[in-house]
Amino acid sequence: MSQFWLYLQLGLEHVLDWNAYDHILFLVALVASYSFSSWKQVLGLVSLFTLGHTLALFLSTYGIVKVDTAYVEFLIPVTIIVTALYDIFTAGKKLKNQNINLLYFTTVFFGLIHGLGFSSYFKMIAASSDSKLAPLLEFALGIEFAQLIVVLSVLILAFILQNILNISKREWILVVSSIVIGIVLPILKENYLVL
């Protein structure tokens, strides 16, 4: 049971670590355009991201996929910027079903990229375990809980600003997405220079 809590806690810390805030920024951009009324879609997006993240860890842990970490570290901020730009260009517009399906697919794909960014560290901490699958699932559960904490915080802040302070949803999306892009651009530049 202590191993369960260890990997669950590692998953929580992976997302909520302020020194590695790329995960938080991605989640903020991912759900900036949603509210509590669309909680099912938000939960679906978050779970799809976890699925992609976990699949990447699985493929890497079992040696099925090997990637150069420098490219992955460059692609992580790209996923955040693309998500934030998507928010900006679709702010105030109603999404069509084909766009929602594309959003789901993209979220899984971006989860794969983020998971590959953590795969080396996960392989190192899971090396002492006989089975890699149980730690992987426990870690994924921790990631899912932490992501729900972040998403709930974003939705609460959006609710307060939009319903109590009367900031329009479009303004909220544009400001939040612009802030995310502003934070991520230096990271993107730094990672690009390492390539």
Side-chain angles (χ1 to χ4, degrees), residues 70-189:
Y71 289 111
V72 173
E73 291 302 320
F74 170 73
L75 287 174
I76 288 173
V78 169
T79 66
I80 299 167
I81 289 173
V82 166
T83 305
L85 286 172
Y86 178 81
D87 287 344
I88 289 171
F89 290 121
T90 60
K93 298 177 183 172
K94 190 167 174 96
L95 295 178
K96 299 174 184 167
N97 279 343
Q98 62 194 30
N99 289 347
I100 291 172
N101 291 335
L102 177 63
L103 183 61
Y104 288 154
F105 173 79
T106 306
T107 302
V108 172
F109 181 69
F110 287 177
L112 283 165
I113 293 170
H114 283 250
L116 289 172
F118 193 71
S119 62
S120 297
Y121 181 70
F122 183 79
K123 283 192 284 190
M124 186 176 66
I125 60 173
S128 61
S129 298
D130 295 334
S131 167
K132 306 285 187 261
L133 190 58
L136 186 60
L137 295 176
E138 294 156 358
F139 182 75
L141 192 59
I143 286 175
E144 188 75 359
F145 283 147
Q147 289 182 156
L148 292 175
I149 291 168
V150 171
V151 167
L152 186 60
S153 301
V154 172
L155 292 178
I156 289 171
L157 183 60
F159 178 83
I160 291 169
L161 291 174
Q162 292 173 38
N163 296 301
I164 297 173
L165 300 178
N166 292 324
I167 294 173
S168 75
K169 183 176 182 177
R170 185 174 186 280
E171 288 172 349
W172 158 259
I173 295 167
L174 293 175
V175 169
V176 168
S177 300
S178 298
I179 290 170
V180 167
I181 290 170
I183 294 170
V184 174
L185 278 175
I187 300 168
L188 181 67
K189 179 183 175 185

Side-chain angles (χ1 to χ4, degrees), residues 3 17-18 31 35 51 66 73 83-84 89 120 191:
Q3 179 179 319
D17 181 5
W18 286 108
V31 300
S35 62
L51 177 69
K66 294 179 184 178
E73 291 302 320
T83 305
F89 290 121
S120 297
N191 291 345

Side-chain angles (χ1 to χ4, degrees), residues 15-59:
V15 174
L16 300 176
D17 181 5
W18 286 108
N19 294 319
Y21 49 85
D22 57 330
H23 210 121
I24 293 172
L25 290 173
F26 178 80
L27 291 170
V28 169
L30 184 66
V31 300
S33 59
Y34 293 96
S35 62
F36 284 112
S37 62
S38 51
W39 67 269
K40 288 180 184 177
Q41 192 171 2
V42 170
L43 184 61
L45 286 170
V46 170
S47 296
L48 286 171
F49 183 75
T50 304
L51 177 69
H53 195 281
T54 305
L55 180 60
L57 290 177
F58 175 84
L59 294 172

